[in-house]
Amino acid sequence: MSTTPSSATPAPTRSIRSAPSRAAAAEWLIAGTVAAIIAAALIALVSRAAGASDDFEPLQPGPYVTFTVLGIIIGAVGWAVIRRWSARPRALLSWLVPAVVVISFVPDLLMLVSDYIPHADAAGIIGLVLMHVAVAAVAVATYHRALPLYDTPRS
């Protein structure tokens, strides 16, 4: 008598996308960076329309474009390191990404109680905080496409 049922069905398998080529990953990262810059630009425009000072430098294209590009690059490096070396990158990133975003609010919120950046006001600070959230959201979506996560470290 057989111990294996004759009507046994195989366990469902989960489709895992293959990792994109380096060129495709670079294209995703460039597209994500452009999308994040557009999101930041829209937030800056809305913030100024809501009363943020036109002279508040962090809402000018030079600073937010520079910091968006740097943030995406630094985030991608961190994501790649965690992806490569962590046995459970999803679990680690599920708390690390929100923690980093919240920590990124600190300099913005300090502008409310200091005068180290001229023309800082509540509308401008709220705009900056929203920029951080929007850029992080776009970056994470981009990293999932460019640098997909696996349950075990990849070699």
Side-chain angles (χ1 to χ4, degrees):
M1 185 163 156
S2 172
T3 59
T4 306
S6 60
S7 63
T9 58
T13 59
R14 201 169 116 187
S15 174
I16 298 177
R17 285 179 310 165
S18 62
S21 68
R22 287 185 183 194
E27 289 170 1
W28 274 109
L29 291 169
I30 291 167
T33 302
V34 170
I37 290 168
I38 291 168
L42 292 173
I43 291 168
L45 288 172
V46 170
S47 297
R48 285 196 294 276
S53 172
D54 289 336
D55 296 324
F56 184 45
E57 192 172 343
L59 293 182
Q60 300 302 318
Y64 71 71
V65 168
T66 300
F67 284 109
T68 297
V69 171
L70 287 173
I72 297 241
I73 291 169
I74 292 166
V77 169
W79 186 279
V81 167
I82 289 168
R83 175 181 181 253
R84 171 72 172 93
W85 294 104
S86 175
R88 298 180 56 221
R90 287 182 199 277
L92 177 56
L93 288 166
S94 72
W95 67 263
L96 185 60
V97 169
V100 168
V101 171
V102 168
I103 290 167
S104 79
F105 299 160
V106 171
D108 299 344
L109 297 174
L110 287 175
M111 286 184 225
L112 286 173
V113 296
S114 73
D115 60 354
Y116 76 96
I117 299 280
H119 310 289
D121 55 20
I125 303 304
I126 291 168
L128 286 178
V129 167
L130 291 175
M131 277 185 185
H132 289 217
V133 173
V135 169
V138 171
V140 167
T142 300
Y143 301 153
H144 274 293
R145 296 297 261 171
L147 304 164
L149 300 174
Y150 302 96
D151 293 332
T152 56
R154 307 285 290 175
S155 53

